[in-house]
Amino acid sequence: MHFGRVAILNRHDMDAWTQQRKVHDTELNAVATSSSLGSNGTTPDKYLPVDVARSSFAPMGLQSEPRIVGQLTNACWLGVDTTACPHDRTSLVTPSLGVSPAVPSNISIGSCSCEDLSEGRRRVGEILARCGVIDVAGMSPTEPTAVGHGHDSDGCPANPPAISSVTAKLPFGEHNGLLIASLADWTSQWVHTLVIQPYLQGNFRFQYQGKPSRASTSVALRIRRILNDVENPVQVVIHALWFIGTLTGNDADDNAPFLSVPIFRYLHNNGAFIAEDFMFRTFVTCAMIGDKTINDATFSTNTWNRLTRIPHAILNATEKYALSCLKWNVVMTRNQWYDTIIYLRSCIKMGSAFDPFAYDDTSPSGIMAHYLDELINVSYAQQGVSAVEFLAPQPIQDSTQWGSFYTAEWCPEDDPVINQKPRTIGIAPGADQNSSILKVGTTAKDLLDSILGSSNIPDLAHLAQPAGTSFCGSFGTIGARLAYTIKVASACQSASWMDVDEATIDEGLYSRQLYVLGHEAMKKMATSNVLVVGLQGLGAEIAKNVCLAGVKSVTLYDPDPVSLQDLSTQYFLREEDIGKPRAAAMLPRISELNAYVPVRNLGGKAGQEITVDLIKPFQVVVLCKASYKKQIEINDWTHQHGVHFIAAETRGLFGSVFNDFGPKFTCVDPTGEQPLTGMIVSVAKDEEGLVTCLDEARHGLEDGDFVTFTEIQGMEELNDCRPRKVSVKGPYTFTIGDTSSFGDYIRGGIFNQVKMPKIIEFKSLRESLSAPDFFITDFAKFERPATLHVGFQALSEYREQHGRLPRPRNVEDAKQFVALAKKLDSDADEMILQELAYQAMGDISPITAVIGGFVAQEVLKACSSKFHPMVQHLYFESLESLPSVLPTEDDCRPIGSRYDGQIAVFGKSFHEKITNHRQFLVGAGAIGCEMLKNWSMMGLATGPHATIHVTDLDTIEKSNLNRQFLFRAKDLGKFKSEVAAAAVADMNPALKGHILCKQEPVGHATENVFDDDFFSSLDGVTNALDNVTARVYMDQRCILYEKPLLESGTMGTKGNVQVIIPHLTESYSSSQDPPEKQALSCTVKNFPNAITHTIEWSRQEFDAMFVKPVESVNQYLSEPNYLENSLKYSGQQHDHVEQIVSYLVTNKPLTFEECIVWARLQFEEKFNNAIRQLLHSLPKDHLTSSGQPFWSGPKRAPDPLIFNSADPTHLAFIIAAANLHAYNYGLRGETDPLIFKKVADSVIVAEFSPKSGVTIQINENDPVNQDTTDPDDISGLIKKLPPPCSLVGYRLTPVEFEKDEDANHHIDFITAASNLRAMNYNIPIADRHTTKQIAGKIIPAIATTTALVVGLVCLELYKIIDGKNKLEEYKNGFVNLALPFFGFSEPIAAEKKKFGDTEWTLWDRLEFKDDPTLREFVAWFKSNHSLDVSMVSQGVSMLWSSFTDKRKSAERLPMRFTRLVEHVSKKPVLPHVKHLLVEVMLMDEEGEDVEVPFVLVRI
């Protein structure tokens, strides 16, 4: 990588730059070597040096060329107007930049007209030289005390070198130990000066943890740990100090206490009473802001929490207050702005010779040079402005009242402008109006690419308009990132930004997807650049799903103008975009989806097709609706050069996909299923090697699978052997080949399936057209793919010949099209071909969702090699979705509407039905977002009297953003239903006023909201739920109100669709999934043999340690007679009372150190004493009654653990347990490992002696050890308890398990406890990520599956709107995109039953009107069906039975049902209730029970 020489111009050369437009290389060199920025005496005095003015700290940093020794350029400083400076504090002791960190120097802070800016820069250069970061000419960096220039009385060098002669020794951003130590020490002295000394001058006195003289040194050690990890530590420090200086300068009255500043008061009031803590927390808060301002790879707030031990809430709150106090605006002098732009401008490479004005306007470098020159002109034009204010990318609301902060308002780590790529650059708001070139914006990466002269960006004319992001600090949000990226890019001289670094996986964002793909696949995806060509609905759907998944970059190509019909399916476009290039128009909206995935526009001119030259930088190329001629041209090159190729097309209700991943594509995991494992009981020593498994579970293997073995005793040659191929012999047996030469098998062993890579050979499209491999999507239509194979080719040929596609329902066009297809295959189905011609101009959202979701998953397979790709042609159609009465040609003519694509398929008449259809969407999560998107494109409920109801009680969380694409980071904390409704109304304004949002959950408690009137206003219900309970409830409501229900769900790459039609199909509740297999309680408690067992055990321990005993204490304190009532029903009375005594009296901690002691003793009890007790009761040589070793097969003999604070798992348990215990008691936690080691190692643990006679539960049916404690012992314990009246208002805080909050120690505890338990039993441990999924019961999810499944749901919705009434017209579906697999079937018909001569199904009911009496009710069954009523109940109340005594019967039989229900239940019938569901038991004349439909009593 070669750079032009860096030229530094002073301000007096600006006119020459902007007016002459010609500066020669020699002139620039002269300027660079004779002058340094800002050192010519022209800086206004009111912009003060960084080490003098408290209120004018300015971010700075180093810049150097990578891989070469470059010049150490001056920092671009931020000035603050201090003309009327109120901060004349002459007595403050201020550390000097130019002295040894250990020897602070006194510098008076007097009036504001002190040393000029160059003095501060001189001192910065000096301290950096002393730290070994820079070399002063002729001086040794290893001798910092022998600088050689002499020192003045202040310890400053008397004759400092000119900065232009100072060269950087290290590349920008690298860490140097001496630099970090010096920076930390220097920083701590400054923090002490700014936030402690002002207090000491007043009446307030801080307490010191140690000696005041050592405070700065103590804090420096803590700051050093932070600086070792942050990128750009110098810049972070200077930013932090500038922020602190600005904050401490906010008090207008010189005598006002600094505690009046909200950030400092908040810190002090939340535990920072000690000077050292106060200093450190102040630095951390401001360093967080600095880090998030300047660095690409920033720390999240959670990471700062872990690094600093400062509670998450305090970090968030103080950052919020800091930003409010700062107003988050920065002032830079106009000259400093010039310096920044000039520096960036001078870095541009201009051919072989450096001539800054000899550029070609059409080249990338030239365009960028022109762009920067125009920025200079704009700044220069503002002659009357002495300073430029740069505003935040997002407004920060002022805190008008102490305590009124909302951390969800702004999350810097989630802000794509502050912290993630891409960013746009510009200057102050409004500046983009001063020059036309500023209408063309760019990102930091685009700027870098241009500076590098990369050929990967052929055209920058497509770039988006600037968004007003500021230049701040030493090149701030732009320059620092350029320097960082250049540093990384320098490792590969030929690399562009596409290839420089590997993204860090954000587990908070991608958590659900990671459980689908895994870390390795995600890392591979993060190196892949994807090109999507053709951006109508299908291309947009593919690009959306790929962006959400997290590839390295997505590039768009479609220069054709937006048309009105595009709005049928292209939800990233708006009516105001009509006429604009498609890619450019959709770019701003799709770029918001994922801050980790840069999205760019490849440019081009209208009508210009993609070419081979343009696709070369990409790993995956997707062509949408391209001609076959173009597909073949592009695929010929991709097939030869190893680029993965996908072509896709949708036409009405038809879709096609072609894959070519190259001649030999390696698939590392064809299924995505977890490898199987199981225990074995024998291995035959012969030529076949028959393996027999434990009969607890089938092995699940298939012929051709591979396995390896561990823990076999005897035939040890198999342990960790090479994978051996399996031949299945039965559900519990398989063979592995010759074992005759091995030792004799004795016992034990575990088989582990090994996923073997699969090589897949793809043919090119040219070859595949004549010899296709079809992927079947519907086995009931096995012959269709062959017809559609020639049909789509014929469509392409027809368009070539006629310049258009066949017109909707035009018979003549269809005949010509069919003739073309018949030439390719005379046996093709003419009816299917005709329908394809009729729909060729159609474009409907459900089909684009199905094909787009499928293709996006294929893209991810190409990027990651995870899951089996589709081989090789897919053809899909859903002709069943057409209306029963087919539209005419006239009905399908375009009407100049956004729905013309849908009208071309269904006609105007059916479209009117769609607009008047009323749906209730239950859930606005992943499925709900996709559903609303499709409905908005379809125009559902946009009619004058139609409405969509949507309800969801959840609020938006970070993990939702990965697949719930209607949400953005700015929406975190808001209600899903409201945000989703607003988003789709923006997509289609016709929906405004037609979506009603609710936040109530569906259930019995909200039947007053979702009542009879509500359901009577609906035409159907669509579930988008994530739990079975709510699904069953909605299923029951749909049966009651006779409404069609669309049910769907996803789990990873698997998805299903079920359509439920009244009086036609069975209901959701008619069939159930098999129950999830649960481990036996005795296995979890005493005999675990798998990591799932230990995780389950640790999850139970979590409740047993931090939830249940705390709740018991609170119940004891709040409920009268709690102990008396609980002891009646508890089988462990002694343990129960002893636990309350422990948590409330004997082991109640008063300090955090006591929590550490408690955690250490818990370790001993659970991982040492309990195991020793188990082995005492069941020794390792224990035999069963049959003489076999007890510890064999699934029972693994454990070993006790000896605590070792140096073991990270041991210490992790102590840290998590102590912090959770402290949370129970409201004590402040810690995370510093040194504290935990020190306390834990000092704990004296009592010697444990195992007890005799302890019964161990061995089998599930064995009785659990019952409490046989003497009642007197229990009474003695109770006496130790304080009476509740003595602790009025005192409560402990139970821990509410939350899996997605990384800093709360919940998953940390479960992971550590599970792994320690696994170590006891010699079970392989699991990482935190795996533990989190199992313990949190997280359902894997990915956007591709969701999009496809919702598309299938909407295809069924068309049928419901049409009112189809034949079972065979509907389709239940199941998909697995990993395999891939599609399966469709007719819904199961509702089961028919009969009583007497009456036939009925679950949809029928016996209905009674006008609130009958019980006597009338009983008589009706007798007179109409000769059935005797033996029992009547409603809800949980038995209203009457045949054995009710005569007095009650006589009383109740005359009662009407409302009165009867109120009488028996003692509760009133609520006003919204208009019917009662009544259960009845009936018998016929022979005394046999008779089943009848449910009974509905109208009241």
Side-chain angles (χ1 to χ4, degrees):
M1 184 184 301
H2 174 72
F3 286 78
R5 294 167 61 187
V6 178
I8 308 300
L9 304 184
N10 65 23
R11 297 185 184 90
H12 295 303
D13 294 312
M14 182 61 66
D15 291 335
W17 183 283
T18 57
Q19 296 174 14
Q20 298 175 13
R21 291 286 184 141
K22 183 73 174 179
V23 177
H24 294 293
D25 191 19
T26 55
E27 293 176 300
L28 289 173
N29 286 333
V31 172
T33 56
S34 65
S35 174
S36 63
L37 283 176
S39 62
N40 57 3
T42 62
T43 305
D45 285 344
K46 65 182 181 178
Y47 293 99
L48 305 178
V50 66
D51 59 329
V52 177
R54 293 176 55 250
S55 60
S56 53
F57 283 93
M60 57 77 69
L62 293 172
Q63 288 286 327
S64 66
E65 293 181 327
R67 302 174 63 86
I68 61 173
V69 177
Q71 292 180 325
L72 174 64
T73 68
N74 282 282
C76 178
W77 299 81
L78 296 180
V80 209
D81 192 341
T82 57
T83 304
C85 182
H87 311 300
D88 182 5
R89 292 194 171 95
T90 58
S91 60
L92 293 184
V93 178
T94 310
S96 168
L97 284 169
V99 299
S100 171
V103 187
S105 171
N106 293 348
I107 295 181
S108 295
I109 297 184
S111 66
C112 295
S113 58
C114 43
E115 304 169 41
D116 77 6
L117 195 55
S118 61
E119 175 65 11
R121 291 178 172 145
R122 176 181 66 76
R123 293 185 175 180
V124 171
E126 174 62 16
I127 192 172
L128 294 176
R130 296 177 64 80
C131 293
V133 173
I134 58 176
D135 282 327
V136 179
M139 297 298 106
S140 169
T142 60
E143 301 178 17
T145 58
V147 178
H149 294 284
H151 289 75
D152 59 22
S153 59
D154 286 333
C156 302
N159 299 297
I163 289 186
S164 59
S165 67
V166 180
T167 56
K169 192 176 95 174
L170 297 174
F172 177 83
E174 287 197 18
H175 289 63
N176 175 280
L178 184 55
L179 167 65
I180 296 299
S182 301
L183 275 175
D185 206 333
W186 173 68
T187 301
S188 66
Q189 293 175 47
W190 265 110
V191 177
H192 189 273
T193 298
L194 293 170
V195 301
I196 300 297
Q197 286 193 17
Y199 287 99
L200 301 182
Q201 294 176 4
N203 296 324
F204 185 83
R205 290 290 184 270
F206 264 111
Q207 298 297 316
Y208 285 88
Q209 186 174 338
K211 296 181 180 180
S213 60
R214 297 292 304 275
S216 295
T217 304
S218 170
V219 174
L221 292 173
R222 300 170 71 181
I223 292 177
R224 188 185 306 178
R225 288 197 293 267
I226 303 297
L227 298 183
N228 272 321
D229 290 319
V230 298
E231 194 71 53
N232 304 321
V234 176
Q235 294 198 58
V236 168
V237 163
I238 303 299
H239 274 76
L241 291 179
W242 181 77
F243 291 137
I244 294 171
T246 302
L247 289 167
T248 55
N250 277 348
D251 48 319
D253 184 356
D254 201 32
N255 297 317
F258 275 23
L259 280 177
S260 64
V261 181
I263 175 180
F264 299 115
R265 188 168 72 170
Y266 185 83
L267 286 170
H268 181 266
N269 291 350
N270 282 273
F273 307 113
I274 305 301
E276 288 89 339
D277 272 354
F278 196 92
M279 292 165 61
F280 183 62
R281 292 191 177 197
T282 299
F283 169 77
V284 167
T285 298
C286 295
M288 282 173 58
I289 304 172
D291 180 42
K292 293 169 182 178
T293 303
I294 68 170
N295 285 327
D296 262 331
T298 66
F299 292 152
S300 68
T301 303
N302 289 339
T303 304
W304 283 101
N305 166 259
R306 288 195 293 270
L307 286 173
T308 63
R309 310 188 310 278
I310 301 175
H312 190 276
I314 291 179
L315 287 171
N316 270 335
T318 51
E319 180 180 51
K320 170 66 180 177
Y321 275 118
L323 292 173
S324 295
C325 296
L326 289 166
K327 303 292 191 298
W328 198 233
N329 61 39
V330 182
V331 178
M332 181 186 290
T333 69
R334 186 163 56 94
N335 291 329
Q336 292 161 358
W337 167 256
Y338 293 164
D339 295 344
T340 302
I341 300 298
I342 291 170
Y343 179 79
L344 293 177
R345 173 65 176 81
S346 65
C347 289
I348 295 180
K349 175 185 173 184
M350 295 297 176
S352 57
F354 182 77
D355 187 348
F357 303 112
Y359 57 74
D360 176 8
D361 279 339
T362 63
S363 69
S365 297
I367 291 173
M368 187 52 60
H370 188 192
Y371 176 75
L372 291 175
D373 289 350
E374 290 296 329
L375 285 178
I376 293 169
N377 286 336
V378 171
S379 299
Y380 187 71
Q382 299 175 345
Q383 293 289 354
V385 181
S386 61
V388 180
E389 180 173 314
F390 296 88
L391 302 179
Q394 261 183 278
I396 302 300
Q397 298 179 2
D398 289 333
S399 292
T400 57
Q401 185 179 357
W402 176 252
S404 59
F405 62 91
Y406 302 90
T407 57
E409 286 178 5
W410 186 66
C411 298
E413 61 263 33
D414 295 328
D415 188 322
V417 182
I418 283 290
N419 190 49
Q420 297 301 341
K421 305 175 280 283
R423 300 172 182 83
T424 54
I425 66 172
I427 58 173
D432 57 344
Q433 300 171 7
N434 296 320
S435 174
S436 60
I437 192 66
L438 287 178
K439 300 296 182 183
V440 180
T442 186
T443 66
K445 288 195 167 186
D446 297 325
L447 180 58
L448 172 66
D449 239 352
S450 296
I451 290 174
L452 302 184
S454 167
S455 61
N456 286 330
I457 310 179
D459 183 8
L460 294 180
H462 60 277
L463 296 173
Q465 185 171 333
T469 304
S470 66
F471 278 87
C472 60
S474 82
F475 320 123
T477 55
I478 302 303
R481 287 169 176 77
L482 286 176
Y484 170 78
T485 314
I486 290 172
K487 181 198 74 173
V488 180
S490 65
C492 178
Q493 294 188 12
S494 62
S496 74
W497 68 265
M498 286 183 169
D499 309 301
V500 294
D501 61 346
E502 179 183 288
T504 302
I505 298 175
D506 185 341
E507 292 193 2
L509 176 67
Y510 293 117
S511 63
R512 276 44 174 181
Q513 181 176 293
L514 276 167
Y515 294 120
V516 181
L517 299 174
H519 284 79
E520 289 305 314
M522 287 284 292
K523 288 177 182 178
K524 289 182 180 179
M525 284 163 48
T527 65
S528 298
N529 304 292
V530 179
L531 172 66
V532 181
V533 180
L535 295 166
Q536 293 174 304
L538 177 59
E541 182 68 27
I542 295 168
K544 177 260 289 182
N545 292 326
V546 173
C547 282
L548 291 173
V551 296
K552 185 166 189 178
S553 74
V554 173
T555 301
L556 312 175
Y557 184 83
D558 193 339
D560 288 341
V562 176
S563 67
L564 181 62
Q565 185 170 330
D566 290 341
L567 304 185
S568 290
T569 55
Q570 228 290 23
Y571 41 86
F572 289 118
L573 300 177
R574 305 292 182 265
E575 288 191 14
E576 58 267 27
D577 295 323
I578 294 174
K580 299 177 183 178
R582 284 196 192 101
M586 71 176 287
L587 183 65
R589 296 184 183 94
I590 194 172
S591 296
E592 296 175 346
L593 288 180
N594 191 339
Y596 291 102
V597 179
V599 184
R600 23 183 345 160
N601 175 9
L602 203 55
K605 298 178 180 179
Q608 178 184 344
E609 291 191 288
I610 194 73
T611 64
V612 168
D613 288 339
L614 294 177
I615 69 171
K616 290 180 179 178
F618 303 97
Q619 284 75 52
V620 184
V621 175
V622 182
L623 300 188
C624 299
K625 295 191 174 182
S627 68
Y628 270 77
K629 180 180 178 181
K630 178 58 65 175
Q631 291 180 38
I632 291 172
E633 173 196 343
I634 298 297
N635 179 242
D636 283 345
W637 185 90
T638 60
H639 188 80
Q640 183 179 356
H641 292 86
V643 174
H644 306 109
F645 174 87
I646 302 174
E649 190 171 359
T650 58
R651 300 292 173 189
L653 289 165
F654 296 86
S656 76
V657 182
F658 169 76
N659 276 0
D660 175 16
F661 292 176
K664 291 189 181 296
F665 175 78
T666 302
C667 175
V668 298
D669 183 1
T671 67
E673 301 294 336
Q674 288 294 320
L676 298 170
T677 186
M679 294 186 173
I680 62 176
V681 294
S682 70
V683 182
K685 185 178 179 180
D686 54 29
E687 293 182 355
E688 283 197 339
L690 182 70
V691 178
T692 303
C693 298
L694 200 66
D695 60 4
E696 286 187 349
R698 298 168 181 258
H699 55 64
L701 297 169
E702 298 178 359
D703 286 341
D705 286 343
F706 286 80
V707 296
T708 188
F709 300 87
T710 56
E711 302 184 24
I712 292 179
Q713 297 180 35
M715 196 177 285
E716 296 180 359
E717 295 88 344
L718 288 178
N719 287 333
D720 299 317
C721 64
R722 287 192 172 189
R724 298 177 72 96
K725 194 172 184 179
V726 165
S727 177
V728 174
K729 299 301 180 183
Y732 304 100
T733 57
F734 58 88
T735 59
I736 57 172
D738 192 358
T739 58
S740 57
S741 61
F742 297 165
D744 293 332
Y745 175 85
I746 299 176
R747 72 169 63 89
I750 297 172
F751 79 82
N752 297 289
Q753 184 186 15
V754 179
K755 293 292 187 75
M756 302 296 286
K758 181 179 180 180
I759 306 300
I760 303 170
E761 297 182 359
F762 286 88
K763 294 178 283 191
S764 69
L765 178 59
R766 186 183 298 276
E767 181 183 358
S768 188
L769 286 177
S770 57
D773 294 311
F774 294 134
F775 170 74
I776 306 299
T777 59
D778 189 342
F779 289 93
K781 305 174 181 179
F782 194 80
E783 303 299 329
R784 295 273 173 93
T787 295
L788 294 177
H789 184 63
V790 298
F792 274 92
Q793 294 178 64
L795 268 185
S796 183
E797 180 64 26
Y798 185 97
R799 186 167 52 178
E800 289 282 336
Q801 293 181 9
H802 297 83
R804 62 172 175 82
L805 291 166
R807 290 166 291 184
R809 298 286 160 184
N810 184 278
V811 176
E812 186 59 35
D813 287 358
K815 285 182 179 179
Q816 295 180 35
F817 164 76
V818 171
L820 286 174
K822 287 285 190 177
K823 290 179 181 179
L824 297 173
D825 182 0
S826 59
D827 295 329
D829 189 324
E830 188 169 331
M831 185 197 74
I832 300 300
L833 291 174
Q834 184 183 57
E835 199 58 51
L836 177 59
Y838 286 163
Q839 299 184 33
M841 292 184 66
D843 194 13
I844 61 173
S845 185
I847 289 293
T848 62
V850 171
I851 302 300
F854 182 87
V855 171
Q857 187 65 57
E858 296 301 301
V859 170
L860 303 185
K861 294 175 184 178
C863 296
S864 66
S865 301
K866 177 93 172 184
F867 307 140
H868 199 293
M870 185 271 295
V871 181
Q872 191 164 4
H873 288 272
L874 173 148
Y875 294 101
F876 179 89
E877 52 84 6
S878 182
L879 294 180
E880 303 85 1
S881 298
L882 285 171
S884 302
V885 178
L886 294 176
T888 64
E889 181 179 1
D890 185 63
D891 200 28
C892 293
R893 293 185 196 278
I895 60 173
S897 160
R898 66 180 296 143
Y899 308 112
D900 280 351
Q902 183 168 260
I903 289 172
V905 178
F906 296 102
K908 293 188 291 289
S909 300
F910 188 75
H911 174 69
E912 288 297 320
K913 290 185 177 181
I914 295 172
T915 63
N916 290 305
H917 189 76
R918 303 163 300 178
Q919 274 283 325
F920 178 29
L921 178 64
V922 190
I927 290 177
C929 283
E930 291 288 338
M931 200 73 68
L932 287 172
K933 175 259 293 182
N934 284 344
W935 289 356
S936 72
M937 295 294 99
M938 294 162 58
L940 189 83
T942 55
H945 305 296
T947 302
I948 294 171
H949 297 269
V950 55
T951 189
D952 196 314
L953 61 85
D954 285 343
T955 55
I956 299 167
E957 300 174 354
K958 183 178 180 180
S959 63
N960 301 147
L961 304 181
N962 172 235
R963 60 199 186 284
Q964 300 175 20
F965 87 105
L966 297 180
F967 308 143
R968 304 290 181 267
K970 63 183 174 63
D971 300 320
L972 295 176
K974 298 178 183 177
F975 283 110
K976 289 182 176 181
S977 59
E978 292 180 353
V979 175
V984 295
D986 180 61
M987 291 177 179
N988 184 356
L991 271 176
K992 291 181 179 177
H994 291 267
I995 303 182
L996 298 182
C997 303
K998 293 180 173 63
Q999 288 78 49
E1000 289 84 3
V1002 291
H1004 297 291
T1006 57
E1007 288 181 1
N1008 61 321
V1009 178
F1010 307 111
D1011 55 13
D1012 290 20
D1013 293 338
F1014 175 81
F1015 276 93
S1016 66
S1017 69
L1018 302 176
D1019 295 317
V1021 177
T1022 300
N1023 276 351
L1025 293 162
D1026 60 0
N1027 66 90
V1028 173
T1029 302
R1031 284 184 166 110
V1032 169
Y1033 175 80
M1034 285 309 300
D1035 182 59
Q1036 294 170 348
R1037 302 303 279 176
C1038 288
I1039 293 172
L1040 175 63
Y1041 293 108
E1042 299 178 275
K1043 301 295 180 183
L1045 172 65
L1046 289 168
E1047 171 59 54
S1048 59
T1050 69
M1051 185 174 70
T1053 59
K1054 300 171 184 175
N1056 72 283
V1057 176
Q1058 182 180 2
V1059 57
I1060 298 156
I1061 306 299
H1063 303 285
L1064 191 63
T1065 71
E1066 68 174 10
S1067 73
Y1068 173 81
S1069 306
S1070 298
S1071 59
Q1072 298 180 357
D1073 294 331
E1076 184 178 348
K1077 186 178 180 181
Q1078 299 287 336
L1080 300 177
S1081 61
C1082 60
T1083 300
V1084 172
K1085 185 176 180 180
N1086 297 314
F1087 311 114
N1089 56 63
I1091 196 65
T1092 53
H1093 299 155
T1094 66
I1095 292 173
E1096 175 63 24
W1097 176 86
S1098 63
R1099 183 66 182 85
Q1100 293 173 5
E1101 288 298 309
F1102 181 92
D1103 288 341
M1105 293 169 67
F1106 311 114
V1107 182
K1108 293 178 180 179
V1110 175
E1111 291 175 343
S1112 296
V1113 168
N1114 289 345
Q1115 287 174 311
Y1116 166 74
L1117 295 174
S1118 60
E1119 297 179 12
N1121 304 319
Y1122 169 72
L1123 286 180
E1124 296 175 14
N1125 295 332
S1126 63
L1127 294 181
K1128 290 179 183 179
Y1129 305 105
S1130 173
Q1132 301 288 332
Q1133 294 96 334
H1134 181 273
D1135 292 346
H1136 187 68
V1137 176
E1138 188 176 46
Q1139 196 174 58
I1140 297 176
V1141 172
S1142 173
Y1143 275 72
L1144 192 56
V1145 182
T1146 56
N1147 292 313
K1148 176 185 175 182
L1150 299 178
T1151 65
F1152 185 74
E1153 286 71 18
E1154 292 180 38
C1155 295
I1156 300 176
V1157 173
W1158 177 86
R1160 171 65 184 88
L1161 296 176
Q1162 291 295 316
F1163 179 99
E1164 198 70 18
E1165 170 60 30
K1166 298 183 184 305
F1167 307 111
N1168 185 294
N1169 297 353
I1171 300 301
R1172 290 168 63 187
Q1173 179 64 61
L1174 179 63
L1175 291 176
H1176 178 78
S1177 301
L1178 297 169
K1180 288 190 176 184
D1181 58 359
H1182 185 70
L1183 300 178
T1184 66
S1185 57
S1186 61
Q1188 297 297 315
F1190 176 84
W1191 295 105
S1192 62
K1195 292 183 174 63
R1196 307 167 72 96
D1199 293 295
L1201 297 181
I1202 306 300
F1203 178 74
N1204 177 9
S1205 63
D1207 188 306
T1209 307
H1210 292 208
L1211 194 62
F1213 175 86
I1214 302 296
I1215 293 173
N1219 275 284
L1220 291 170
H1221 197 55
Y1223 177 87
N1224 288 149
Y1225 292 90
L1227 299 173
R1228 194 182 80 174
E1230 284 283 355
T1231 55
D1232 185 355
L1234 296 178
I1235 295 175
F1236 290 89
K1237 286 184 179 181
K1238 180 180 178 181
V1239 176
D1241 286 339
S1242 67
V1243 175
I1244 299 175
V1245 179
E1247 181 61 32
F1248 174 74
S1249 298
K1251 299 177 181 178
S1252 299
V1254 175
T1255 303
I1256 305 296
Q1257 185 185 15
I1258 297 175
N1259 298 308
E1260 194 70 9
N1261 297 326
D1262 290 349
V1264 179
N1265 192 30
Q1266 295 296 312
D1267 193 346
T1268 57
T1269 308
D1270 191 324
D1272 291 340
D1273 291 343
I1274 298 177
S1275 299
L1277 286 173
I1278 294 176
K1279 290 178 181 179
K1280 295 181 180 180
L1281 289 172
C1285 61
S1286 67
L1287 295 170
V1288 175
Y1290 180 78
R1291 298 291 185 273
L1292 302 186
T1293 306
V1295 178
E1296 294 183 13
F1297 178 66
E1298 171 50 57
K1299 59 184 177 294
D1300 286 322
E1301 176 56 63
D1302 288 340
N1304 63 11
H1305 301 287
H1306 297 188
I1307 295 298
D1308 294 333
F1309 172 83
I1310 292 173
T1311 302
S1314 169
N1315 286 340
L1316 289 171
R1317 180 81 163 171
M1319 292 175 186
N1320 280 137
Y1321 286 87
N1322 195 27
I1323 298 169
I1325 65 174
D1327 60 22
R1328 188 182 189 279
H1329 181 69
T1330 302
T1331 303
K1332 177 179 175 179
Q1333 181 188 14
I1334 298 171
K1337 298 182 178 179
I1338 294 175
I1339 299 174
I1342 190 169
T1344 51
T1345 310
T1346 305
L1348 190 152
V1349 164
V1350 170
L1352 295 177
V1353 170
C1354 291
L1355 290 174
E1356 298 304 307
L1357 178 59
Y1358 282 131
K1359 303 172 185 178
I1360 290 174
I1361 295 172
D1362 187 43
K1364 297 183 184 298
N1365 54 15
K1366 295 180 180 179
L1367 198 67
E1368 60 271 17
E1369 293 176 315
Y1370 292 96
K1371 295 281 187 182
N1372 286 348
F1374 175 80
V1375 298
N1376 186 341
L1377 296 186
L1379 301 177
F1381 171 80
F1382 281 69
F1384 295 99
S1385 64
E1386 294 177 4
I1388 298 175
E1391 181 185 359
K1392 292 183 179 181
K1393 300 179 181 179
K1394 196 172 185 179
F1395 71 95
D1397 296 328
T1398 304
E1399 193 173 70
W1400 62 279
T1401 70
L1402 62 91
W1403 295 99
D1404 295 306
R1405 74 279 319 276
L1406 299 176
E1407 191 167 333
F1408 293 81
K1409 297 180 180 180
D1410 302 326
D1411 195 10
T1413 65
L1414 178 59
R1415 180 177 283 111
E1416 292 170 344
F1417 181 85
V1418 173
W1420 184 89
F1421 281 99
K1422 186 65 175 177
S1423 60
N1424 287 277
H1425 298 284
S1426 300
L1427 296 175
D1428 293 320
V1429 177
S1430 59
M1431 184 180 293
V1432 181
S1433 61
Q1434 196 276 326
V1436 296
S1437 301
M1438 190 180 74
L1439 305 180
W1440 179 84
S1441 68
S1442 57
F1443 49 81
T1444 301
D1445 64 67
K1446 292 183 178 181
R1447 182 183 62 82
K1448 287 185 178 180
S1449 287
E1451 179 185 19
R1452 294 181 183 182
L1453 284 171
M1455 290 183 181
R1456 295 194 177 274
F1457 261 85
T1458 50
R1459 176 74 183 93
L1460 178 61
V1461 169
E1462 291 177 337
H1463 173 76
V1464 176
S1465 67
K1466 310 300 182 185
K1467 295 178 183 178
V1469 175
L1470 297 175
H1472 70 273
V1473 176
K1474 296 183 179 180
H1475 64 260
L1476 298 171
L1477 282 174
V1478 176
E1479 295 80 38
V1480 58
M1481 292 182 63
L1482 300 165
M1483 292 186 298
D1484 60 19
E1485 294 174 344
E1486 285 77 31
E1488 298 291 332
D1489 289 337
V1490 176
E1491 186 179 3
V1492 298
F1494 68 88
V1495 178
L1496 194 67
V1497 176
R1498 299 284 182 184
I1499 60 176

